[in-house]
Amino acid sequence: MSDKGSASESKAASSQSGGFAALIKRTAKGKIGPEDTVLVWPNLVYLELISMVFATAILLFLCLYSPAPLEELASADTTPNPTKAPWYFLGLQELLVFFDPWLAGVVLPTFIIIGLILIPYIDPNPLGKGYYTFSERKFAVTGFSFGLALWYILIVIGVWFRGLDWSWYWPWDDPHMHQPAGAVKLVDLEVILQSTLGLSERPIVTLGRYAVTVANILTWGMFLGYYAVGFTIPFLLFRKFYNRLGFVRYNLTMFMFLSMMGVPLKIFVRLLANIKYVLVTPWFNI
């Protein structure tokens, strides 16, 4: 009886363990097939190692090509020309050329920080976790890559293309010679509309120190219209995108995206049409 009992117990235990192993195997097979998986070692680790070596090589090249040695002590009698911030702040310093100081130094950096914090909560796409993909996350990858490239382009301009008096210097220009003073005069969009359309400078209504003119109302309409069109077009043409995000996530995403796209747009408007500010108010200028 004891032999029969032990044999039956061992048979039951083996059947249970075999059933449990089969269950695990079926579960793993049902979730993801073997042909869709790769080992972390060596596949992923090698890729990360190559990326790390490549990034280190770029940093070493930049350090050798453009070193940052310690200079003499600061003197109250000598002001360097140009006065440049550390390279990681030169993007903000370059933005000061095209935007109001309050906007370039406070609002845009705050948007960058808040946007990075909100990304995990805004994006509900479950794909692309644990592996690299572009086809499944085109909007997220493209938007992030564009913003990152824009930031580094501004840094590159500040490091290698700005010289004396923060003027534009090509690599073949003499960095010790002052550039000739340009005859270009920057004008606000409100002034351009007044002169082009023949609008009156007399204010329609005065709100404290804010004089509201017809041209000022037009600039407000163009500014708000940019966001209105940007919010409406994806809603009408890409309804799946709106349905996937929902009302709150969609509005946050589009506001951050349109604000980011407005930075190079404002820079191009400044360079192409010599427009200083698109919108002028007593509190901020854009």
Side-chain angles (χ1 to χ4, degrees):
M1 291 295 291
S2 61
D3 294 339
K4 292 182 178 180
S6 61
S8 61
E9 290 178 357
S10 61
K11 184 178 181 180
S14 61
S15 63
Q16 289 179 359
S17 61
F20 184 67
L23 177 63
I24 294 176
K25 190 177 295 185
R26 287 197 305 270
T27 304
K29 186 176 181 180
K31 286 185 176 179
I32 184 168
E35 67 277 1
D36 298 328
T37 61
V38 294
L39 296 176
V40 173
W41 172 267
N43 302 84
L44 180 62
V45 176
Y46 274 178
L47 182 61
E48 293 178 343
L49 177 62
I50 293 172
S51 301
M52 182 178 64
V53 172
F54 183 70
T56 304
I58 294 178
L59 290 176
L60 289 175
F61 171 77
L62 293 176
C63 293
L64 295 174
Y65 179 77
S66 180
L70 294 176
E71 299 180 355
E72 64 275 4
L73 295 176
S75 174
D77 300 328
T78 304
T79 302
N81 185 10
T83 302
K84 289 189 177 183
W87 69 268
Y88 43 84
F89 282 142
L90 280 181
L92 292 177
Q93 191 168 351
E94 181 65 20
L95 285 177
L96 289 171
V97 178
F98 305 98
F99 290 91
D100 185 90
W102 180 79
L103 193 65
V106 178
V107 176
L108 291 180
T110 303
F111 278 0
I112 293 174
I113 296 174
I114 294 178
L116 292 175
I117 293 174
L118 291 178
I119 284 176
Y121 302 96
I122 293 177
D123 189 6
N125 190 353
L127 302 176
K129 294 182 179 179
Y131 58 95
Y132 302 103
T133 177
F134 173 76
S135 59
E136 298 175 345
R137 305 180 67 88
K138 293 181 179 179
F139 178 77
V141 174
T142 303
F144 181 83
S145 301
F146 179 84
L148 187 65
L150 175 62
W151 182 248
Y152 277 99
I153 287 173
L154 293 175
I155 291 177
V156 168
I157 292 175
V159 173
W160 285 293
F161 293 91
R162 292 296 183 180
L164 299 175
D165 304 323
W166 206 258
S167 300
W168 185 277
Y169 280 77
W170 293 106
W172 52 82
D173 292 332
D174 188 355
H176 303 290
M177 297 291 294
H178 285 272
Q179 295 281 30
V184 176
K185 183 179 179 181
L186 299 176
V187 184
D188 296 332
L189 179 60
E190 184 175 341
V191 178
I192 295 177
L193 292 177
Q194 287 177 350
S195 60
T196 304
L197 302 179
L199 303 176
S200 175
E201 299 181 6
R202 181 178 301 176
I204 301 175
V205 62
T206 302
L207 304 175
R209 57 193 181 97
Y210 191 17
V212 180
T213 62
V214 177
N216 182 256
I217 294 177
L218 291 178
T219 56
W220 270 106
M222 296 172 66
F223 174 74
L224 297 177
Y226 165 75
Y227 279 94
V229 173
F231 274 80
T232 304
I233 290 179
F235 176 77
L236 296 177
L237 301 182
F238 306 99
R239 187 58 63 88
K240 291 183 179 180
F241 177 72
Y242 172 82
N243 293 333
R244 185 172 69 249
L245 290 178
F247 179 78
V248 176
R249 286 193 177 102
Y250 174 80
N251 286 281
L252 285 174
T253 301
M254 294 309 302
F255 176 75
M256 293 294 180
F257 179 76
L258 291 173
S259 299
M260 179 183 68
M261 297 301 296
V263 173
L265 179 61
K266 172 61 168 56
I267 293 176
F268 286 135
V269 167
R270 167 79 172 268
L271 296 176
L272 296 177
N274 299 323
I275 295 176
K276 185 176 182 180
Y277 294 127
V278 175
L279 179 64
V280 178
T281 71
W283 309 281
F284 61 89
N285 300 319
I286 298 176

